[in-house]
Amino acid sequence: MAGRGAGGGGRKTRNFATFRLFPRAGAADPNDRVFVRVDNNDYNVPGFADEDPFDSNFTADAADLHSFASGPLPEHVRREILELGLPDDGYNYLSHLRELRPAASAASSFVPNSTARPEPLPLDVKAYDASRVRVAPSADDLDEGKTMCKVAAKTAPLRRVQRALDPDVARLLDESDFSHGGSEDEGLEEDFVIMANQAEGDDEVEEEEEELGNGIFSDVEEEKEEEEFEDEPKPRVRRLLDEQFDLLALEEYGDSDDDDDDRGGRDGDYELPSEAIEELKLFCDQNGCVDEDYRTPADFVRGRLESTTADEVDESANVIQKCAEYAERYLNEPAEEKETVLVSESSDESEVWDCETIVSTYSNLDNHPGKIETPGNRRKRLPRVFPGETATTNDLIKLHGKEKLPVDYLPQRKRNGEKEKKVKPAEAFNAEKVKKEVHKETKEEKKARKAAVKEEKREARKAKKELKGLYKSETQKAQKVAAVTGPSSIRLM
Amino acid sequence: MAAAAVYGAGGAMKGGKLGMEGAVDMQLNRIRITLSSKNVKNLEKVCADLVKGAKAKELRVKGPVRIPTKVLHITTRKSPCGEGTNTWDRFEFRIHKRVIDLISSPEVVKQITSITIEPGVEVEVTIADV
């Protein structure tokens, strides 16, 4: 009525505008929506959806851009693009920028990792924690060796190092994290959990140090024990037993850790124990040994070569003698030490069967013992004898051919025999005919002969085909059986 | 068109009332808000909020009209190949639609609709003459 203005032919005037809510392009908040017009009517709604979707893109930059459609981007735009690290190739990447989510959720998305261990060292760097080294207050007895040892004892290698931070800076950083927003952590005034976690990390470092310290340098031990009480509390006081255990553990299960320690210690003036050095010297003196003839201890005794290890040589020369002595002793001993061993025999009264004997521990569930039979040969099962067979006198079944068929027992052989018999008299008959009328019937004779030959051949072919078919079927059956029972390598067909 | 007819009828009816409420100076339009969604719960919530908001601003509201849900059926073979018993999956996709009519000025409507929206609910606003 009021709305229908147009006539019958045209469309009725459409006095309405349709808008849809779409999320704004490039907006961080999914709830940030604008109304977008979705129809093409002429109707104008002045108060609604004044912001076209394209308005939001018509920022100052974009306005400039459209005036510089083909030319280069304005300077400030280019600077901004470069600042962002995007390439300066004439395209305005700023149109693809997206707002970040509001800061209210930023605090929750950047949570400092409280369980992170300090960074592992790069491979070409070695770090040592020398915070426990005590510089001797008096400079009197500065025995280099001893000092070095003490230092080595207290120094422990580190695998991870925290970045060097000023404690003030670190404090500030921590504070700034917590000041943002109302995170739940703010309620926790005490950070005992964090402290506990850190304490664990320190303990690991401590243990490494102690293992090393208890190795060789006993003069340091006392100091060590003193220190322990000062440091973070251990579960209990270390006893001598603990140290011994550590020593043992070191010896048996020496880590690479300890090797590193040792090497680190030796980098200074650390010397091998004196015995080792002497041995090495001896070895150097005896260097000639390896090059020339092989020598036995007996050679030494007989004085063929000089040697400084006289003691050893003597001992080794006496080995044979010693062996002989031992042997004699061993022989003599049992003769001297014969003891009478009394063995009590069991009386008859106690010999009562108090339990049943077990024949087998296998249960009948799994084990099915067979019945013991008289050893008659029930296994010999000969195949049934086919009528008309001649080869049954042997007890052996012969298999012939590729298919390994028991040829004598196949059913078809009979027929061939009959056919042969049929053919033969026919042939004979023909032959007779031929002989009587040799002159006249050469053509006919020839024909007849040829016909006979043809017949024979035909019959032969037929027979062959039949036999072949028979063979094939038998082979198939045999293959089936072999497939189930025999090894898979048997191929009969 | 059917829509235009509805508008026309509504307009004729409300003309008198508008005269009585002459204090309101801004131009009023008939506004139809169509809400559609796959999710009934959210949809109903948004509808209720809208109606509540409109009533709070003392607008004339025609309460949420429930258009019959459209159900999209997709029936496919379960099997990726043709083998096996011929079992079929029956999927369906339900679209619920609600319509709310208001008479107010466009700005007010903008305010209302900006507050209440849930995710997954599509809002379409049609504005026509009174």
Side-chain angles (χ1 to χ4, degrees), chain A residues 309-361:
Chain A
T309 55
D311 297 332
E312 283 184 4
V313 162
D314 284 344
E315 273 190 23
S316 51
N318 293 338
V319 160
I320 298 172
Q321 275 186 23
K322 283 191 179 170
C323 284
E325 283 173 20
Y326 284 136
E328 281 179 32
R329 231 189 296 161
Y330 182 67
L331 272 177
N332 294 333
E333 272 179 4
E336 297 162 1
E337 295 170 2
K338 264 188 194 167
E339 289 174 6
T340 50
V341 178
L342 291 170
V343 178
S344 57
E345 291 182 6
S346 56
S347 57
D348 290 331
E349 293 168 357
S350 61
E351 276 193 36
V352 173
W353 294 111
D354 52 357
C355 63
E356 295 175 353
T357 50
I358 304 170
V359 173
S360 155
T361 49

Side-chain angles (χ1 to χ4, degrees), chain A residues 101-365:
Chain A
R101 295 297 163 104
S105 54
S108 60
S109 56
F110 299 115
V111 177
N113 185 359
S114 55
T115 56
R117 294 183 296 182
E119 273 195 2
L121 283 174
L123 290 174
D124 57 348
V125 174
K126 254 216 167 120
Y128 297 93
D129 176 20
S131 54
R132 288 173 151 233
V133 175
R134 275 191 174 178
V135 179
S138 60
D140 294 337
D141 38 21
L142 257 186
D143 181 10
E144 272 200 20
K146 257 197 175 179
T147 331
M148 277 320 248
C149 295
K150 285 187 188 176
V151 169
K154 291 305 180 97
T155 313
L158 292 178
R159 288 225 188 95
R160 291 175 187 85
V161 176
Q162 275 187 345
R163 294 232 188 97
L165 276 183
D166 240 5
D168 300 323
V169 174
R171 216 182 309 130
L172 278 175
L173 277 178
D174 287 337
E175 278 178 9
S176 65
D177 280 342
F178 290 139
S179 63
H180 284 325
S183 59
E184 291 174 359
D185 290 35
E186 275 192 324
L188 273 178
E189 292 297 324
E190 300 166 35
D191 55 345
F192 50 87
V193 177
I194 298 169
M195 274 189 65
N197 286 339
Q198 282 178 352
E200 272 180 13
D202 286 346
D203 269 353
E204 286 176 8
V205 172
E206 267 188 9
E207 281 170 15
E208 290 176 356
E209 285 181 73
E210 281 163 7
E211 280 182 6
L212 169 64
N214 292 324
I216 310 167
F217 312 103
S218 55
D219 61 338
V220 181
E221 265 182 30
E222 292 168 3
E223 290 185 15
K224 191 146 233 45
E225 286 184 85
E226 285 174 13
E227 281 188 5
E228 278 169 21
F229 289 106
E230 301 167 2
D231 298 335
E232 297 173 32
K234 281 233 142 190
R236 60 187 173 87
V237 180
R238 281 180 77 88
R239 303 171 296 191
L240 180 63
L241 188 60
D242 290 329
E243 287 157 3
Q244 287 175 345
F245 179 75
D246 284 336
L247 254 181
L248 182 68
L250 258 187
E251 285 172 15
E252 300 232 358
Y253 311 107
D255 305 279
S256 56
D257 234 347
D258 291 4
D259 290 340
D260 285 345
D261 290 347
D262 287 339
R263 261 181 250 133
R266 280 182 201 155
D267 279 341
D269 296 338
Y270 189 63
E271 280 187 345
L272 294 170
S274 51
E275 300 104 27
I277 293 172
E278 284 174 15
E279 279 296 325
L280 285 176
K281 284 185 188 163
L282 280 175
F283 183 73
C284 289
D285 290 343
Q286 291 179 352
N287 211 8
C289 285
V290 190
D291 304 330
E292 298 162 25
D293 307 329
Y294 180 73
R295 286 163 210 128
T296 57
D299 292 340
F300 285 115
V301 172
R302 288 169 209 163
R304 275 189 199 170
L305 287 163
E306 66 208 6
S307 136
T308 49
T309 55
D311 297 332
E312 283 184 4
V313 162
D314 284 344
E315 273 190 23
S316 51
N318 293 338
V319 160
I320 298 172
Q321 275 186 23
K322 283 191 179 170
C323 284
E325 283 173 20
Y326 284 136
E328 281 179 32
R329 231 189 296 161
Y330 182 67
L331 272 177
N332 294 333
E333 272 179 4
E336 297 162 1
E337 295 170 2
K338 264 188 194 167
E339 289 174 6
T340 50
V341 178
L342 291 170
V343 178
S344 57
E345 291 182 6
S346 56
S347 57
D348 290 331
E349 293 168 357
S350 61
E351 276 193 36
V352 173
W353 294 111
D354 52 357
C355 63
E356 295 175 353
T357 50
I358 304 170
V359 173
S360 155
T361 49
Y362 292 144
S363 93
N364 263 7
L365 295 171

Side-chain angles (χ1 to χ4, degrees), chain A residues 12 16-17 19-20 33 43, chain B residues 1 117 123-125 127 129:
Chain A
K12 302 156 199 164
F16 61 91
F19 302 88
R20 247 198 198 182
R33 288 176 241 225
Y43 191 76
Chain B
M1 211 172 60
I117 295 303
V123 177
E124 201 174 284
V125 174
I127 304 179
D129 284 337

Side-chain angles (χ1 to χ4, degrees), chain A residues 1-4 11-21 31 33 35 38 43 45-51, chain B residues 1-2 4-5 7-9 27 29 106-107 109-110 113-114 117-119 121-129:
Chain A
M1 295 128 160
R4 289 189 199 175
R11 212 171 176 186
K12 302 156 199 164
T13 47
R14 312 175 96 206
N15 294 332
F16 61 91
T18 307
F19 302 88
R20 247 198 198 182
L21 259 187
N31 296 332
R33 288 176 241 225
F35 279 105
V38 292
Y43 191 76
V45 184
F48 207 85
D50 272 343
E51 36 164 334
Chain B
M1 211 172 60
Y7 291 142
Q27 98 280 35
N29 301 68
E107 294 92 8
V109 170
K110 222 170 160 186
T113 44
S114 62
I117 295 303
E118 297 260 336
V121 179
E122 224 184 68
V123 177
E124 201 174 284
V125 174
T126 305
I127 304 179
D129 284 337

